[in-house]
């Protein structure tokens, strides 16, 4: 008989051990080795059996063992030290507290968070990044409040059928068995938030708090008795269900999330956020709730509230492919936000306009969550330089008339939380040899002086640990597939701690090309089984439950790894999670990544490998395109000009094989004299020295604070000052500009001063006559764009000069003048444009309005004609 309800029963801790509860309920333990060692000492065998889950450990430890610990003075001293250390960590000023005019609080919204394997609320890179973002915020003292959903079945646990097909299982999660506490009102009742639904219904949720160091993470849970069965299941699983289910999750995350923050601030006294950061479009509805707040609570109009909301909102896009964006049918949005559910302050037509693909090649039948997110945020960024460029191309239709480079989408390259992903042996080595790296984040050049033999010893230790863990997982997988113990003796010799180990682990959409390595199976076999320079590959990855194509790719790779001829050299490990990810990035010598360029937004696993003394072998996509320098790994050539996808895969697979055979394995096994691969270790040291300062999330979060959070807070303060005077003025100005813009034009351009043969260093006087209609010169910027031109006369990375000395010609016409420096040789050109200008705009392109010269236009050049 199956139980109808599941819950966790915890041991009652004796009074001297009560501080253990404080340690367990702060997830700092997940990246703090000393606390983990303390938990292990409670019961080493149970610690291993619990898969390093301290909540489960304390739930299952025997009363006898607890009683023995109360008399263990050494343990009690260690417990006291750990609690004191945690309290000092949480309360002491850190980097952020040295800043002036920084936001008092920042709200960070994400649909998933990868904090620890014991809190399974993530599916892949988006969640892992979100977890690293919060941990790093805690380390730096950045006052972030995280917001997400609590999924009662998480993502899914993956296993394999006997024929290698992915199978999904959704084990139930009991919040009482997780390191969480429930947010309660002063009278002890659970705090609730609600989101209105059609037909007078309401979606209710309670709020669980996960303490991530000094950062609170609020997780909304719809499994409450006030909800009907359908509503209770809204937070049942991550990325599950149909379109309606997904929309309800995103309404709860965005709208309910803002309300949860308000409840948390009211109950705890936490400062209200000045900045709201939307990590992808899933939480985009938070902007609607903030608009409603401004209208209902402060009396602003919709347009004024929109300006106030945009000023304090940051939007990060993570996808380089349209298929990765949530798009809902317009009629579904109308059903949930219109009709009987429409709020007077949020007209459904205004909501629909925010998510409309009202640009060339857009689909008028859909509501685009990323588009809404960008329209509701004054600051938008991608997650690597290349992804920023791809995003500017992908969303350029929102800013028609502007060159791709001017589309207001910047980039901050992702980083990783070192304390989570770097092996303790590496950290201990750094503490001994390079303490400034650990304590101050600098001094990376000192890596060159570290003993090569010591690095090699640690690398062998980490590789051996990975092999041991892989064998355990492999044995479990084969048992699940129905194999008997007699059939599994080969696993004892699977993999080898002294063989070059390549890792390949990720989600399994088609563009990541899990099976590129199988393009020539015989060649791959020869690489794996080379008698002089053998290679072993450890593979992991999950396909989305609805992705049949991804499941077929997994089956293809599993069938290859099942071959008795190679199964000791190549393995697929199911149920890729944080624990397996940590083992892989620490133990692999090389991280292989072969997506279709440029479809990898960033990718961070290779960063983690680099911090552990491994090397990268990757297509130049995401972060690797930005930071590969020719000596810190290998770049797989990309045949992105090949028209046929199969031909492209063939070319890139052959390049991959050649790199492994002729470069990677050759360097790894080149060990003259003392048996050390000296040239390999030189590359490892260079990788650590060159990439270390870049790939850490501390660099990433400082960039967010200085380039996005602080400017957003400044904009929000300016607009809210004096009773939201700035928001009101900006909304009035924007309305006036939009109404008058159809009359704005560039009528005539003339230039003098270059002579018949222009020379470097001379100056070109440009005069432009523009028609501004009802606008004044101080409403706009009339700019000369100038610089190098290509064979089609298109300006390449132009510079801009604002014309001034406005001369009123009457009837809305003005002549403006400026001098353009001829500061480069070769083909040179210029043009003139008119764009709106306001001190409260973040960029010239923000309004999406631009007036360009018609073709042809009346132009004169007194020198060259």
């Amino acid at each position: 008989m199956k139980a109808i309800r599941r819950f966790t029963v915890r041991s009652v801790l004796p009074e001297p051990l009560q501080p253990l509860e404080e340690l367990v309920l702060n997830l700092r333990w997940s990246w703090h080795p000393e606390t983990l060692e303390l938990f292990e000492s409670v019961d080493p065998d149970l610690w291993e059996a619990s898969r390093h889950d301290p909540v489960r450990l304390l739930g299952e430890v025997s009363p006898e063992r607890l009683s023995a610990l109360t008399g263990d003075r050494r343990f009690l001293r260690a417990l006291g030290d750990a609690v004191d250390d945690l309290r000092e960590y949480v309360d002491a000023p850190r980097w952020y507290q040295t800043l002036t005019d920084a936001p008092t609080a920042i709200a960070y919204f994400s649909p998933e968070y990868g904090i620890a394997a014991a809190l399974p609320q993530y599916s892949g890179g988006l969640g892992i990044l979100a977890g690293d973002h919060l941990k790093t915020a805690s380390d730096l003292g950045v006052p972030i409040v995280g917001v997400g959903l609590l999924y009662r079945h998480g993502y899914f646990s993956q296993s394999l059928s006997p024929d290698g097909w992915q199978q999904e299982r959704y084990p139930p999660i009991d919040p009482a068995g997780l390191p969480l506490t429930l947010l309660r009102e002063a009278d002890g009742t659970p705090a609730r938030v609600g989101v209105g639904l059609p037909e007078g219904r309401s979606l209710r949720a309670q709020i669980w708090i996960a303490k991530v160091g000094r950062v609170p993470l609020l997780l909304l849970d719809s499994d409450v008795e006030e909800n009907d069965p359908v509503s209770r299941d809204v937070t049942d699983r991550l990325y599950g269900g149909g379109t309606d289910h997904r929309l309800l999750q995103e309404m709860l995350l965005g709208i309910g999330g803002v309300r949860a923050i308000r409840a948390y601030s009211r109950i705890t006294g936490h400062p209200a956020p000045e900045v709201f950061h939307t990590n992808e479009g899933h939480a985009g509805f938070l902007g609607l709730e903030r608009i409603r707040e401004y209208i209902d609570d402060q009396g602003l109009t919709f347009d004024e509230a929109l300006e106030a909301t945009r000023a304090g909102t940051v939007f990060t896009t993570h996808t380089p492919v349209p298929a990765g964006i949530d798009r809902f049918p317009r009629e579904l949005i109308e059903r949930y936000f219109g009709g009987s559910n429409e709020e007077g302050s949020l007209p459904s037509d205004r909501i629909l306009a925010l998510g409309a693909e009202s640009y060339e090649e857009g689909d008028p039948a859909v509501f685009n969550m990323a588009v809404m997110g960008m329209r509701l945020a004054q600051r938008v960024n991608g997650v690597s330089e290349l992804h920023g460029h791809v995003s500017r191309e992908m969303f350029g239709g929102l800013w028609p008339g502007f060159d791709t480079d001017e589309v207001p989408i910047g980039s901050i390259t992702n980083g990783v939380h070192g304390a989570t992903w770097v092996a303790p042996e590496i950290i201990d080595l750094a503490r001994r040899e390079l303490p400034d790296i650990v304590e101050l984040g600098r001094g990376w050049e000192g890596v060159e002086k570290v003993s090569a033999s010591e690095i090699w010893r640690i690398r062998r230790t980490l590789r051996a640990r990975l092999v041991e863990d892989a064998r355990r997982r492999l044995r479990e997988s084969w048992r699940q597939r129905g194999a008997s113990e007699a059939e599994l003796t080969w696993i004892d010799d699977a993999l080898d701690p002294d063989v070059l180990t390549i890792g390949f682990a990720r989600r399994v959409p088609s563009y990541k090309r899990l099976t590129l390595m199988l393009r020539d199976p015989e060649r791959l076999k020869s690489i794996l089984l080379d008698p002089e320079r053998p290679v072993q590959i450890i593979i992991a990855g999950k396909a989305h439950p609805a992705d049949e194509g991804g499941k077929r790719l997994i089956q293809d790779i599993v069938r290859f790894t099942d071959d008795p001829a190679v199964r000791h050299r190549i393995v697929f490990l199911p149920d890729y999670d944080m624990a397996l990810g940590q083992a892989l990035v620490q133990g692999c010598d090389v991280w292989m990544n072969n997506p279709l360029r440029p479809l990898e937004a960033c990718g961070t696993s290779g960063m983690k490998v680099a911090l552990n003394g491994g090397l990268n072998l990757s297509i130049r996509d995401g972060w690797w395109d930005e930071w590969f320098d020719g000596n810190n790994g290998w770049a797989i050539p990309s045949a992105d000009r090949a028209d046929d996808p199969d031909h492209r895969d063939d070319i890139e697979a052959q390049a991959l094989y050649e790199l492994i055979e002729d470069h990677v394995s050759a360097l790894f096994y080149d060990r003259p004299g003392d048996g050390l691969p000296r040239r390999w270790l030189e590359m490892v040291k260079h990788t650590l020295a060159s990439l270390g300062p870049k790939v850490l999330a501390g660099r990433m979060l400082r960039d967010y604070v200085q380039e996005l959070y602080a400017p957003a807070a400044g904009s929000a303060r300016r607009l809210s000052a004096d009773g939201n005077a700035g928001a009101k003025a900006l909304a009035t100005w924007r309305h006036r500009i939009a109404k008058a813009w159809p009359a704005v034009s560039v009528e005539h351009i003339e230039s003098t001063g270059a002579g018949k043969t222009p020379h470097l260093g001379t100056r070109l006087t440009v005069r432009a006559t523009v028609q501004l209609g009802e606008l004044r010169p101080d409403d706009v910027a009339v700019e000369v764009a100038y610089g190098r031109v290509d064979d089609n006369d298109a300006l390449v990375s132009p510079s801009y000069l604002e014309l001034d000395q406005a001369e009123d010609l009457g009837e809305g016409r003005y002549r403006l003048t400026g001098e353009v420096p001829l500061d480069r040789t070769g083909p040179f050109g210029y043009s003139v444009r008119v764009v709106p200008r306001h001190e409260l705009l973040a960029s010239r392109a923000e309004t999406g309005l631009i007036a360009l010269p018609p073709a042809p236009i009346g132009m004169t050049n007194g020198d060259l004609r």
Side-chain angles (χ1 to χ4, degrees), residues 17 33 62 71 110 167 221 253 320 388 393 434 459 468 491 499 524 586 596 641 740 773:
L17 303 184
S62 70
S110 177
Q167 297 178 320
D221 172 16
L253 175 60
E393 290 184 334
L434 305 162
R459 288 299 314 148
E468 181 181 358
I491 292 178
V499 166
L524 178 58
Q586 291 172 10
L596 281 169
R641 295 189 179 183

Side-chain angles (χ1 to χ4, degrees), residues 40-53:
E40 182 179 16
S41 68
V42 169
D43 187 325
D45 292 337
L46 186 55
W47 179 244
E48 289 303 315
S50 69
R51 300 286 176 86
H52 299 181
D53 179 347

Side-chain angles (χ1 to χ4, degrees), residues 347-359:
S348 60
D349 62 320
R350 296 300 303 266
I351 295 174
L352 288 167
L354 288 170
E357 294 185 354
S358 53
Y359 44 82

Side-chain angles (χ1 to χ4, degrees), residues 389-443:
H389 177 75
V390 170
S391 298
R392 288 189 287 274
E393 290 184 334
M394 189 169 156
F395 295 104
L398 292 173
W399 296 274
F402 288 91
D403 291 341
T404 298
D405 288 345
E406 281 197 282
V407 169
I409 300 176
S411 65
I412 291 179
T413 304
N414 287 342
V416 300
H417 185 246
T420 295
W421 301 104
V422 179
E425 291 84 352
I426 299 287
I427 294 177
D428 289 344
L429 176 65
R431 282 202 177 104
R432 291 196 311 269
E433 304 287 338
L434 305 162
D436 280 355
I437 290 180
V438 178
E439 302 299 328
L440 304 173
R442 61 184 183 225

Side-chain angles (χ1 to χ4, degrees), residues 629-685:
D629 66 7
N631 295 306
N632 54 7
W634 298 271
I636 305 169
S638 180
D640 44 13
R641 295 189 179 183
D643 294 329
D644 178 54
D646 283 337
H647 182 52
R648 175 175 181 173
D649 284 354
D650 286 338
I651 294 172
E652 295 184 9
Q654 290 303 316
L656 174 62
Y657 297 142
E658 290 174 9
L659 281 169
I660 295 175
E661 289 176 320
D662 300 338
H663 298 273
V664 181
S665 62
L667 203 63
F668 184 84
Y669 289 107
D670 178 16
R671 304 175 190 178
D674 56 8
L676 294 178
R678 291 285 178 180
R679 291 194 298 151
W680 178 278
L681 291 169
E682 287 172 5
M683 187 177 282
V684 167
K685 288 183 178 183

Side-chain angles (χ1 to χ4, degrees), residues 130 270 417 465 590 782:
H270 192 282
H417 185 246
R465 183 185 301 156
V590 174
V782 180

Side-chain angles (χ1 to χ4, degrees), residues 703-750:
D703 288 348
Y704 270 104
V705 169
Q706 294 164 345
E707 298 176 21
L708 295 176
Y709 294 161
S715 294
R717 290 167 184 168
R718 287 192 294 274
L719 264 66
S720 64
D722 300 322
N724 296 299
K728 295 174 182 177
L730 185 58
T732 299
W733 175 86
R734 193 187 290 266
H735 177 75
R736 181 168 61 85
I737 291 292
K739 181 180 179 182
W741 201 256
V744 176
S745 64
V746 180
E747 292 186 347
H748 183 77
I749 304 171
E750 61 184 29

